[in-house]
Every structure is written in structure tokens, then in C-alpha cells.
């Protein structure tokens, strides 16, 4: 199978269902940013971190492929002529969202209380988490915009929202585990 198809040479791409849209379409921006996020999460997973987090991140990467597939599906072609869903995969579930919440609760229980905003950084691995968190927030903004135009499964947007929170808590937990300084942002006083 060839990787290049030449079908996008004129600046369009196909959604699941065959509909062609411009490559700058909000739907493409949405799932493209999810793909970018997935790559950043892979970078975090490649670090020397607890295998529990590596496993969680692998699961998240799997779920992000599902999110991407949901976002890449033309809503007008989401159902086949026989009445079945075009995407024959498990959708994002309440259990997926709860898994992120449970992981955050577990990590938070091991961390000091947060009293200030935290400056990103302190260790390369922690910085990768903060970059992923920011990409996740952008993905959420784009997906939210898409949802306002063409609604999709509500749990998908909830999952993206929860994932950005998870990445923030993971950054804090990794700072703790790696004994990196967590620098508080304390605004300067006006002179």
C-alpha cells in the first residue's frame, strides 16, 4: 500500500464517509490537533516514568484514536444505509472519563495542596506534560467550536476536557516523583 495518494494535492481531504473538505476545515483542525496531542503523549510515555503512568498513557493514546475517528466522521454519513454506525468501534464512555478522574484523585492524594499557579518546567519530562496539556486545551477549543457547528457525542468533549486536567496533575505528580522544583507563580507587586 502506498502512503501517498495524491488526492490531497489540491488542498482537500476526505472525512470518514467520503465527504471532501478543505484541509483547513474546523473538523480537520480538530482531529489534527488530537493527533498532535497523541504524539506529545507518546513523548511523555517514552520518558523514564513509573510503568503505571506509561500504561495509563498508552490507554489514553488508544482513546485519542477513537476521539480522532469521531471527529473525522461526517455527521451526515455517520449512519450507514443499513442503519448501523459507520464507526464500528467503542465510543468514548463514562468509564473512560472516570478512569481519568480516578487517576487524578490518586495522584492528587500524594501531592501537597496547590496554593498558587505553577510555572511550567523544572524537568524535561514535566515540561513535556505541560506542552501536551496546552495542546490538549487547544484541541478542546477547536472541538468545542466544531461541536457548536456540528454536534458530536458529548462524552468526547468531556474526555478532552478531563484529559487536560489529567495532564496538569500528571505534570505535578512527575515533578514530585522526579524531585523537581515546582515553581509557584507569585505575581510581582506594582512599584
Amino acid at each position: 500500500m502506498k502512503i501517498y495518494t495524491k488526492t490531497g494535492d489540491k488542498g482537500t481531504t476526505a472525512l470518514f464517509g467520503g465527504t471532501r473538505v478543505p484541509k483547513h476545515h474546523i473538523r480537520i483542525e480538530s482531529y489534527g490537533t488530537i493527533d498532535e496531542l497523541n504524539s506529545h503523549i507518546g513523548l511523555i510515555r517514552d520518558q523514564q516514568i513509573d510503568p503505571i503512568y506509561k500504561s495509563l498513557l498508552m490507554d489514553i493514546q488508544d482513546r485519542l484514536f477513537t476521539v480522532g475517528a469521531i471527529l473525522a466522521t461526517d455527521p451526515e454519513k455517520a449512519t450507514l444505509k443499513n442503519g448501523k454506525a459507520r464507526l464500528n468501534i467503542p465510543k468514548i464512555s463514562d468509564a473512560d472519563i472516570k478512569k481519568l478522574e480516578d487517576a487524578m484523585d490518586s495522584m492528587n492524594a500524594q501531592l501537597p495542596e496547590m496554593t498558587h499557579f505553577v510555572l511550567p518546567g523544572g524537568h524535561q519530562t514535566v515540561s513535556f506534560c505541560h506542552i501536551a496539556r496546552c495542546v490538549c486545551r487547544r484541541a478542546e477549543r477547536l472541538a468545542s467550536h466544531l461541536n457548536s457547528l456540528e454536534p458530536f457525542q458529548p462524552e468526547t468533549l468531556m474526555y478532552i476536557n478531563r484529559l487536560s486536567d489529567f495532564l496538569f496533575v500528571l505534570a505535578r505528580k512527575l515533578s514530585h516523583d522526579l524531585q523537581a522544583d515546582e515553581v509557584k507563580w507569585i505575581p510581582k507587586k506594582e512599584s
Side-chain angles (χ1 to χ4, degrees):
M1 176 177 122
K2 287 188 178 184
I3 296 298
Y4 60 92
T5 61
K6 301 184 184 181
T7 57
D9 288 353
K10 294 184 180 173
T12 65
T13 193
L15 301 174
F16 286 146
T19 305
R20 294 202 71 80
V21 296
K23 290 189 176 191
H24 60 270
H25 190 281
I26 185 66
R27 187 169 290 285
I28 309 308
E29 288 287 344
S30 295
Y31 75 73
T33 305
I34 291 295
D35 186 37
E36 180 183 351
L37 172 60
N38 207 335
S39 295
H40 283 290
I41 289 174
L43 187 60
I44 300 166
R45 191 171 51 82
D46 287 343
Q47 304 306 301
Q48 295 299 315
I49 60 175
D50 190 310
I52 291 171
Y53 303 132
K54 286 182 182 258
S55 178
L56 262 170
L57 292 170
M58 182 79 82
D59 184 63
I60 289 166
Q61 287 185 291
D62 173 79
R63 301 288 55 217
L64 286 177
F65 264 93
T66 297
V67 169
I70 290 166
L71 297 178
T73 301
D74 180 348
E76 293 181 13
K77 297 186 178 177
T79 305
L80 300 171
K81 290 179 184 176
N82 64 9
K84 292 185 179 180
R86 180 171 296 282
L87 286 179
N88 188 20
I89 58 174
K91 305 297 185 286
I92 299 300
S93 68
D94 290 336
D96 294 321
I97 296 164
K98 185 163 179 9
K99 187 171 188 176
L100 292 177
E101 292 171 347
D102 290 347
M104 282 187 279
D105 291 344
S106 175
M107 288 186 287
N108 253 335
Q110 301 171 54
L111 295 172
E113 183 179 346
M114 201 172 109
T115 58
H116 293 80
F117 286 107
V118 176
L119 296 179
H123 189 282
Q124 184 174 354
T125 303
V126 174
S127 294
F128 290 151
C129 280
H130 282 291
I131 291 168
R133 173 186 54 80
C134 291
V135 173
C136 190
R137 296 278 164 124
R138 177 164 34 96
E140 182 183 12
R141 291 189 300 272
L142 290 165
S144 175
H145 181 194
L146 174 61
N147 190 56
S148 71
L149 301 171
E150 298 177 343
F152 52 84
Q153 181 205 25
E155 291 83 1
T156 300
L157 196 54
M158 291 169 62
Y159 186 82
I160 299 168
N161 176 268
R162 215 63 90 251
L163 181 55
S164 63
D165 296 335
F166 168 85
L167 290 166
F168 177 75
V169 175
L170 180 62
R172 289 198 70 222
K173 181 64 169 83
L174 292 177
S175 284
H176 181 266
D177 292 355
L178 296 164
Q179 300 177 341
D181 287 334
E182 190 173 73
V183 179
K184 297 175 182 175
W185 178 64
I186 301 172
K188 295 180 175 149
K189 305 282 183 196
E190 284 199 52
S191 313

